[in-house]
Amino acid sequence: MYQTAAWYLSIILMTLITVIFITVVLKTNRRREYESIQKKWYRFRTIYFIALLVVFGTATYFTLQDLPFERPVYGQAENPVVVDVEAIQFGWNMSQTEFKVGEPIEFDITSTDVNHGFGIYDKDMNLLAQTQAMPEYTNTVYYTFTEPGTYQILCMEYCGLSHHLMIGEIVVTN
Ligand code: CUA
């Protein structure tokens, strides 16, 4: 829906720009008294500039009040099971792959070589949680499975010829 709206909006804008462009091209030959126009535009420009200053100044003042922005931590829960995850070309080393429904999990994810992407998918290939797996850095993802089943860990960043083979498995039971 948004895409259709964006599509129509860009068509309208492009048409508008084309019309303005053609108008300018057609009018360039006509001579006009310059002085009075210049004065008029100068006044308009001054007012416009002040208006912009006021609008953006006000917006900046109010939006920057909240700095530094809070970083929400999704899915964090008390006493999670901590799982160490290591991405390697081309696989996943996980300290634990079997979990219980409702058990909060903290995945601490890093990489031994290049950048990978850690993504947890359910059986319908819906992405449930994800983060980057980066060398010499640990990213943390919290997740609590609400349904039993087999879940897949897929690499979400192209990391070499066998990127598509980086598949891990998680089993969640009741
Ligand atoms: Cu690892 Cu793509």
Side-chain angles (χ1 to χ4, degrees):
M1 202 201 86
Y2 287 120
Q3 212 152 5
T4 320
W7 172 239
Y8 283 121
L9 188 67
S10 36
I11 287 186
I12 291 168
L13 286 178
M14 279 190 291
T15 315
L16 195 69
I17 290 169
T18 314
V19 169
I20 291 172
F21 191 76
I22 292 173
T23 315
V24 168
V25 168
L26 291 177
K27 280 197 165 182
T28 40
N29 287 334
R30 237 186 279 162
R31 241 170 217 285
R32 278 219 269 169
E33 198 56 61
Y34 186 57
E35 199 100 329
S36 67
I37 296 172
Q38 197 184 26
K39 247 183 227 154
K40 208 168 74 188
W41 273 100
Y42 182 74
R43 211 179 316 128
F44 171 73
R45 253 178 17 192
T46 313
I47 293 168
Y48 186 56
F49 180 69
I50 292 169
L52 277 185
L53 267 189
V54 170
V55 169
F56 282 99
T58 314
T60 307
Y61 178 76
F62 282 106
T63 49
L64 289 192
Q65 301 258 319
D66 298 334
L67 276 179
F69 296 117
E70 243 177 73
R71 285 182 20 173
V73 181
Y74 295 102
Q76 192 168 17
E78 296 280 296
N79 305 317
V81 178
V82 178
V83 182
D84 291 315
V85 181
E86 224 176 43
I88 323 161
Q89 281 168 321
F90 297 95
W92 301 98
N93 267 341
M94 296 178 62
S95 61
Q96 189 182 333
T97 56
E98 286 174 21
F99 306 96
K100 291 257 178 262
V101 169
E103 180 178 53
I105 308 164
E106 174 185 322
F107 293 98
D108 291 335
I109 301 142
T110 188
S111 166
T112 52
D113 36 51
V114 300
N115 267 30
H116 301 269
F118 174 88
I120 308 174
Y121 290 82
D122 68 10
K123 62 177 191 322
D124 300 321
M125 293 310 277
N126 292 312
L127 180 61
L128 304 178
Q130 64 98 17
T131 192
Q132 284 262 304
M134 299 150 70
E136 290 170 25
Y137 193 87
T138 301
N139 277 314
T140 302
V141 161
Y142 297 93
Y143 196 75
T144 305
F145 291 96
T146 53
E147 281 185 37
T150 304
Y151 297 81
Q152 281 192 310
I153 308 295
L154 301 184
C155 184
M156 302 183 70
E157 180 160 334
Y158 184 72
C159 53
L161 281 181
S162 299
H163 154 75
H164 60 287
L165 296 179
M166 278 189 73
I167 300 170
E169 210 176 76
I170 282 179
V171 176
V172 179
T173 52
N174 270 316

